[in-house]
């Protein structure tokens, strides 16, 4: 109320000011009032011409003119500023307000059924017989008729109510029709042609008053009560047509016009012609906006599109940049996907190749992790050992393959070369070992374990590649046995020759001894006093016996009949030859070998092959003696020492059972043996060889342990002799 008084006094003051200035300039400017003309230009001019006349009379300094505008002409006229004021329905008004800043100055007070109202609404109705249609919800699936799709009171107001309860007229009615005029909608419902209808407020009362319908034949759906608005209605109420100024319209003029409209007397012919009751101060059109927003109708349907368009216009460079980035991203993604596919393909191929290699190699291969568990095995391993991947993978390989030595003694895990390789990161090659098979037997193997390193050089386990050497070992054993047999046969044949030689040599003196002995017996039988003759014969016997002894002595020197070809020989090389020959034996019998070679006594004067034979003999005897000892006590030591007077001592010591004193005295006699299969010639021949080198083999019992120590000396060769030998 307070606001209204201030507003009116402000407008009155401004009108006085406008009047004064117009008189001063003596001009009569044209003022155009655009009016929505839905019943033809003539009718519009007839209805609204008197209102223009009223304004001319009221504001003579202006020449007011009515411009009828049909529906499509309204917006272009406003856009082109072809009119200064506009009088349109509330729906068109909110559009113009949103788009062109059109401002309402007054709201029309309409004369409906002789009563003045500046608000109106919509009424939804059905035939009163229709018991099935009571509430708005019951309208679903029924036929529906409204006045016009763009009619605010004749459709859109009802639509908003339906929309609020989730009914979409375009989808949820069995039929949606538009009658064009209000009366047709009412008649269609009364006749039963349509189930439900909607028209603007006042229509039903008007038709009933005119006797066109019996209002009791209709029932109002969703009826609403409002003390200030007694007409039948089903929807919210909205303000009537506003009289508005355009953005360009002079504000002073606008104020003058508004004041004039508010002051329109009740008896003015303009009211009669326009069928309205006057003008009120402008009402709030917020509800009309809300309706259009909810139904997403213009201006709110195009507003979002407009926003997008404007956004594109304003931020086009971002849009382009985003598109380019998106395209680049798409390109990149497709490239990554392609590369990924390629990588996967290659990886599969590599894995396949890897698998093929693993499966086709004849050697067994398996992987071990840092705790000694098996990580993979190949097919050859399964074929050789009988263990399958299920048996081994994830389990401790040592406990399955390696737990025990060939002789049944336990194989501690910490001694396992595979475990050690993973532990100290050092590759290892083992040339003779065994792997236990699934069936409880074992195979002889040689294998390498190579540490597996990660990208940063850290150990990640090891790979073991092994080969079954059982067949090779068997073949080697055969060869050795064969060689032994050959050597035995050789020795037997030498012995045979020697025996026949001895027989031949001894035959004569023995025959003579026997003949003479018999002769002597005969002589003694014939005459006991034939002592002189007997003595002669005994003399012959003695000389023949001496001859036989000479033969034996001769045999002793048989081996060194020829003077050996003595020259500088490298001790280490001779020892290597010997050790190569006994290496397998030493290992298989678990004998610990200790070599202690004097670096100052490397060269000696020797017939190398013969001295090798001597050392071999001593070493073989030692090995044979050690065989009877427990494994822990089997030790063989070979030592060289330079001695006074340019000599080098070679000593072979063992920790074996030793030699009894009585046997020691006859050791170097031929055929002296304590072995079942021995010949007792080894030491005697060896002594002969060493004597031919101007020395002697001696024997002593070592101090501090069991066994025996054989040693002999050889002349050390001078540097000059060595040089000469090298250049010979
Ligand atoms: P054989 O070995 O054929 O018996 P040898 O002349 O080589 O002939 O040895 C003679 C004997 O000396 C052997 O039978 C053995 O009793 C004894 N003998 C030799 N070397 C050793 C040794 N290192 N330890 C114990 N006894 C030994």
């Amino acid at each position: 109320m307070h606001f209204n008084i201030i507003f009116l006094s402000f407008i009155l003051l401004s009108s006085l000011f406008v009047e004064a200035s117009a008189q001063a300039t003596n001009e009569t400017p044209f003022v155009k009032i655009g009016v929505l003309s839905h019943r033809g230009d003539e009718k519009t001019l007839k209805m609204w011409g008197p209102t223009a006349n009223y304004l001319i009379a009221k504001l003579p300094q202006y020449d007011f003119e009515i411009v009828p505008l049909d529906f499509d002409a309204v917006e272009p006229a406003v856009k082109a500023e072809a009119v200064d004021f506009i009088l349109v329905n509330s729906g068109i008004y909110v559009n113009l307000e949103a788009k062109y800043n059109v401002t309402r100055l007054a709201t029309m007070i309409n004369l409906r059924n002789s009563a003045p109202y500046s608000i109106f609404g919509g009424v939804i109705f059905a035939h009163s017989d229709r018991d099935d249609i009571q509430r708005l919800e019951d309208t679903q699936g029924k036929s529906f008729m409204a006045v016009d799709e763009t009619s605010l009171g004749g459709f859109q107001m009802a639509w908003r109510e339906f929309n609020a309860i989730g009914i979409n007229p375009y989808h949820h009615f069995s039929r949606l029709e538009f009658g064009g005029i209000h009366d047709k909608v009412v008649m269609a419902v009364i006749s039963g042609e349509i189930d439900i209808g909607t028209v603007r407020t006042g229509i039903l009362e008007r038709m009933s008053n005119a006797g066109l319908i019996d209002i009791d034949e209709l029932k109002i759906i969703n009826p609403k009560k409002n003390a200030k608005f007694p007409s039948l209605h089903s929807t919210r109420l909205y303000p009537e047509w506003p009289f508005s100024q355009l953005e360009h319209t002079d504000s002073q003029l606008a104020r003058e016009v508004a004041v004039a409209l508010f002051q329109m007397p009740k008896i003015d012919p303009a009211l009669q012609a326009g069928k309205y009751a006057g003008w009120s101060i402008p009402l709030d059109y917020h509800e009309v906006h809300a309706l259009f927003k909810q139904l997403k109708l213009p201006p709110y349907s195009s507003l979002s599109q407009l926003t997008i368009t404007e956004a594109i216009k304003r931020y086009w460079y971002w849009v382009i940049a985003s598109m380019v980035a998106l395209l680049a991203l798409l390109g990149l993604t497709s490239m990554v996907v392609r590369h990924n596919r390629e990588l996967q393909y290659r990886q599969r191929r590599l894995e396949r190749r890897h698998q093929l290699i693993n499966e086709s190699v004849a050697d067994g291969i398996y992987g071990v992790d840092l705790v000694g568990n098996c990580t993979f095995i190949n097919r050859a391993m399964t074929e050789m050992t009988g263990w399958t991947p299920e048996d081994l993978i994830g389990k401790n390989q040592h406990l399955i393959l390696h737990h025990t030595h060939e002789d049944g003694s336990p194989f501690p895990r910490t001694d396992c070369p595979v475990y050690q390789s993973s532990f100290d990161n050092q590759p290892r090659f083992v040339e003779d070992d065994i792997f236990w098979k699934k069936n409880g037997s074992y195979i002889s193997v040689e294998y390498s374990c190579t540490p597996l390193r990660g990208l940063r050089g850290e150990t990640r386990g090891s790979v073991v590649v092994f080969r079954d050497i059982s067949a090779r070992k068997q073949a080697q054993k055969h060869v050795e046995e064969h060689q032994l047999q050959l050597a035995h046969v050789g020795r037997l044949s030498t012995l045979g020759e020697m025996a026949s030689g001895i027989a031949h040599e001894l035959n004569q003196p023995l025959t003579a001894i026997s003949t003479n002995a018999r002769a002597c017996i005969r002589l003694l039988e014939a005459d006991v006093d034939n002592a002189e003759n007997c003595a002669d014969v005994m003399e012959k016997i003695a000389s023949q016996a001496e001859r036989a002894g000479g033969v034996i002595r001769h045999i002793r020197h048989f081996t060194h009949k020829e003077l050996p070809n003595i020259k500088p020989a490298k001790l280490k090389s001779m020892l290597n030859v010997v050790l190569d020959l006994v290496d397998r034996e030493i290992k298989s019998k678990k004998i610990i070998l200790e070599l202690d070679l004097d670096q100052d006594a490397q060269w000696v004067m020797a017939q190398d092959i013969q001295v090798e034979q001597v050392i071999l003999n001593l070493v073989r005897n030692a090995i044979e003696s050690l065989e009877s000892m427990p494994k822990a006590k089997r030790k063989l030591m070979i030592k060289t020492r330079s001695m006074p007077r340019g000599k080098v001592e070679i000593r072979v010591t063992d920790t074996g059972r030793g030699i009894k004193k009585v046997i020691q005295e006859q050791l170097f006699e031929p055929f002296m043996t304590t072995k079942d299969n021995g010949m007792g010639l080894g030491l005697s021949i060896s002594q002969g060889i060493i004597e031919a080198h101007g020395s002697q083999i001696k024997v002593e019992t070592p101090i501090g342990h069991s066994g025996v120590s054989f040693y002999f000396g050889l002349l050390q060769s001078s540097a000059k002799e060595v040089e000469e030998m090298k250049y010979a």
Side-chain angles (χ1 to χ4, degrees):
M1 196 64 177
H2 207 68
F3 165 78
N4 285 351
I5 294 165
I6 297 169
F7 183 71
L8 280 175
S9 31
F10 172 71
I11 287 178
L12 278 170
L13 279 171
S14 3
S15 70
L16 286 172
F17 175 75
V18 170
E19 215 169 311
S21 62
Q23 276 169 0
T25 52
N26 211 14
E27 282 172 12
T28 50
F30 259 119
V31 178
K32 292 184 177 169
I33 303 169
V35 180
L36 177 67
S37 135
H38 46 79
R39 291 184 191 152
D41 289 1
E42 201 182 321
K43 220 166 179 183
T44 304
L45 286 171
K46 205 170 155 200
M47 272 181 81
W48 294 102
T51 301
N53 292 340
Y54 164 76
L55 288 173
I56 293 168
K58 198 77 179 146
L59 306 166
Q61 69 274 32
Y62 298 106
D63 198 355
F64 290 93
E65 183 188 354
I66 297 296
V67 180
L69 299 168
D70 63 25
F71 188 83
D72 295 333
V74 173
E75 194 174 329
V78 172
K79 195 176 175 185
E81 299 179 354
V83 291
D84 304 297
F85 294 94
I86 189 92
L87 179 61
V88 287
N89 70 30
S90 311
I92 297 173
Y93 164 71
V94 293
N95 265 286
L96 298 178
E97 186 187 28
K99 281 187 180 172
Y100 302 106
N101 262 345
V102 167
T103 317
R104 60 192 179 274
L105 296 175
T107 296
M108 185 168 77
I109 304 168
N110 213 335
L111 204 57
R112 303 277 177 199
N113 304 322
S114 315
Y117 294 110
S118 56
I119 49 176
F120 73 113
V123 56
I124 304 166
F125 52 94
H127 200 283
S128 49
D129 293 347
R130 296 295 295 267
D131 293 337
D132 58 327
I133 307 169
Q134 301 291 347
R135 301 166 307 142
L136 277 181
E137 287 79 356
D138 302 333
T139 59
Q140 206 160 347
K142 311 285 186 310
S143 56
F144 185 86
M145 187 183 271
V147 182
D148 190 278
E149 221 175 345
T150 59
S151 167
L152 189 62
F155 178 54
Q156 290 163 339
M157 288 185 192
W159 182 4
R160 186 182 180 190
E161 302 308 321
F162 285 124
N163 186 64
I165 58 161
I167 293 178
N168 183 339
Y170 290 94
H171 295 128
H172 297 130
F173 292 147
S174 64
R175 219 163 78 224
L176 173 63
E177 290 187 18
F178 296 99
I181 49 173
H182 290 79
D183 295 22
K184 193 175 170 191
V185 179
V186 180
M187 295 319 290
V189 173
I190 286 190
S191 69
E193 183 195 326
I194 281 286
D195 298 329
I196 303 141
T198 187
V199 292
R200 63 169 291 153
T201 46
I203 298 292
L204 297 183
E205 289 89 338
R206 175 176 61 74
M207 289 178 79
S208 174
N209 291 345
L212 295 172
I213 56 163
D214 175 2
I215 204 154
D216 292 339
E217 277 188 86
L218 298 172
K219 78 168 135 193
I220 310 303
I221 315 294
N222 195 38
K224 293 204 170 191
K225 292 251 176 299
N226 188 321
K228 289 182 190 162
F229 191 75
S231 260
L232 295 169
H233 64 282
S234 313
T235 70
R236 275 163 266 220
L237 298 172
Y238 300 84
E240 278 283 4
W241 289 30
F243 190 99
S244 316
Q245 71 162 97
L246 270 65
E247 199 175 14
H248 72 273
T249 310
D250 181 65
S251 51
Q252 196 176 325
L253 165 66
R255 270 180 241 120
E256 283 182 278
V257 168
V259 170
L261 290 177
F262 297 145
Q263 290 174 342
M264 190 177 271
K266 295 223 170 352
I267 45 145
D268 198 278
L271 295 175
Q272 222 168 357
K275 294 181 182 156
Y276 64 97
W279 299 94
S280 77
I281 55 163
L283 297 188
D284 183 3
Y285 283 75
H286 166 260
E287 275 297 334
V288 187
H289 280 286
L291 179 144
F292 283 81
K293 263 185 202 160
Q294 269 174 30
L295 301 184
K296 294 191 178 69
L297 290 171
Y300 298 105
S301 64
S302 55
L303 205 64
S304 57
Q305 284 171 16
L306 192 76
T307 309
I308 289 168
T309 321
E310 273 183 357
I312 290 173
K313 264 189 206 160
R314 192 176 301 173
Y315 300 113
W316 61 271
Y317 41 90
W318 282 112
V319 173
I320 289 177
S322 311
M323 300 269 270
V324 169
L326 197 76
L327 281 175
L329 210 72
L330 275 174
L332 218 72
T333 310
S334 89
M335 219 163 77
V336 169
V337 167
R338 243 183 313 130
H339 282 194
N340 218 16
R341 232 179 271 150
E342 175 83 356
L343 274 176
Q344 278 175 353
Y345 168 72
R346 283 181 187 216
Q347 189 181 351
R348 274 201 301 275
R349 246 178 44 172
L350 268 177
E351 275 170 5
R352 183 87 201 104
R353 262 190 217 168
H354 185 243
Q355 196 183 351
L356 269 176
I357 292 169
N358 248 355
E359 297 308 312
S360 54
V361 286
D363 289 346
I365 304 174
Y366 69 94
V368 185
D369 65 15
L370 280 177
V371 288
N373 286 347
C374 190
T375 51
F376 71 88
I377 76 168
N378 73 342
R379 188 188 294 169
M381 175 157 187
T382 303
E383 280 163 9
M384 279 190 259
T385 63
W387 297 110
T388 61
E390 291 74 40
D391 297 326
L392 285 174
I393 291 174
K395 309 214 175 104
N396 189 295
Q397 59 87 34
H398 181 76
L399 297 180
I400 295 174
L401 299 169
H402 246 169
H403 46 81
T404 317
H405 284 296
E406 193 176 1
D407 59 6
S409 57
F411 194 158
R413 189 180 160 199
T414 41
D415 292 352
C416 173
V418 180
Y419 174 76
Q420 287 171 345
S421 277
S422 302
F423 200 67
D424 63 12
N425 215 0
Q426 292 299 319
R428 278 183 174 69
F429 182 74
V430 179
E431 59 181 18
D432 193 1
D433 202 346
I434 59 157
F435 279 171
W436 290 96
K437 291 171 49 166
K438 196 174 179 178
N439 64 10
S441 63
Y442 63 79
I443 47 166
S444 297
V445 289
E446 64 175 21
Y447 61 90
S448 64
C449 23
T450 314
L452 263 182
R453 294 196 179 102
L455 289 177
R456 278 179 238 99
E458 80 283 8
T459 313
R460 301 176 67 186
S462 53
V463 172
V464 179
V465 180
F466 66 93
R467 185 168 290 179
D468 183 352
I469 56 163
S470 304
R472 194 170 82 196
K473 273 187 81 174
Q474 197 61 32
Q476 206 171 347
K477 208 168 152 200
H478 280 316
V479 169
E480 275 167 17
E481 276 170 9
H482 194 62
Q483 274 176 349
L484 276 177
Q485 277 170 1
L486 279 180
H488 188 62
V489 170
R491 271 189 280 176
L492 283 181
S493 74
T494 313
L495 197 64
E497 275 172 34
M498 274 171 66
S500 76
I502 294 165
H504 179 73
E505 288 289 327
L506 291 181
N507 203 25
Q508 278 184 342
L510 286 177
T511 312
I513 288 170
S514 130
T515 315
N516 285 329
R518 282 183 203 289
C520 193
I521 292 165
R522 270 195 308 273
L523 280 175
L524 284 173
E525 281 172 352
D527 183 358
V528 238
D529 297 329
N530 211 354
E532 204 173 317
N533 290 335
C534 249
D536 288 345
V537 177
M538 292 299 270
E539 190 99 354
K540 283 182 187 163
I541 290 173
S543 81
Q544 286 305 318
E546 272 164 20
R547 198 177 148 209
V551 170
I552 301 287
R553 269 200 304 282
H554 188 68
I555 292 167
R556 252 194 86 195
H557 294 288
F558 164 75
T559 51
H560 53 96
K561 257 184 188 161
E562 292 171 36
L563 269 178
N565 178 16
I566 294 174
K567 57 183 183 195
K570 200 171 185 187
L571 259 177
K572 194 162 182 216
S573 311
M574 292 192 288
L575 284 172
N576 282 344
V577 171
V578 172
L579 292 175
D580 272 354
L581 289 169
V582 293
D583 183 52
R584 281 184 52 73
E585 240 177 307
I586 286 180
K587 279 188 183 148
S588 69
K589 289 177 180 160
K590 307 270 185 276
I591 294 168
I592 300 163
L593 172 69
E594 251 180 45
L595 278 179
D596 180 5
L597 307 183
D598 190 339
Q599 293 305 308
D600 296 332
Q602 297 199 43
W603 292 83
V604 290
M605 295 302 288
Q607 213 293 6
D608 51 358
I609 296 171
Q610 286 193 353
V611 174
E612 280 162 12
Q613 210 181 330
V614 171
I615 301 171
L616 179 65
N617 247 319
L618 297 178
V619 168
R620 273 241 161 85
N621 278 340
I623 291 172
E624 278 168 5
S625 165
L626 286 169
E627 261 174 32
S628 58
M629 302 303 284
K631 269 181 195 154
K633 290 194 175 168
R634 296 178 183 175
K635 203 164 169 189
L636 168 66
M637 296 153 277
I638 302 175
K639 195 170 178 178
T640 62
R641 278 283 168 279
S642 61
M643 305 298 280
R645 291 196 297 277
K647 284 210 158 187
V648 177
E649 185 188 87
I650 296 114
R651 185 180 279 269
V652 178
T653 310
D654 61 65
T655 56
R657 60 176 187 276
I659 309 172
K660 286 184 187 147
K661 201 92 193 133
V662 261
I663 298 174
Q664 265 193 34
E665 284 157 15
Q666 310 159 35
L667 269 183
F668 299 98
E669 298 293 323
F671 309 114
M672 210 310 292
T673 180
T674 58
K675 300 170 191 165
D676 293 343
N677 55 353
M679 286 199 301
L681 284 173
L683 282 179
S684 120
I685 292 171
S686 298
Q687 187 66 294
I689 292 171
I690 295 306
E691 278 172 7
H693 280 74
S695 183
Q696 255 198 332
I697 301 178
K698 291 188 179 151
V699 60
E700 62 183 30
T701 306
I703 304 161
H705 61 81
S706 64
V708 64
S709 189
F710 285 92
Y711 63 98
F712 59 91
L714 288 176
L715 269 178
Q716 186 167 0
S717 43
S718 65
K720 189 175 163 229
E721 285 163 332
V722 174
E723 280 308 299
E724 279 170 6
M725 202 269 311
K726 280 185 185 166
Y727 295 106

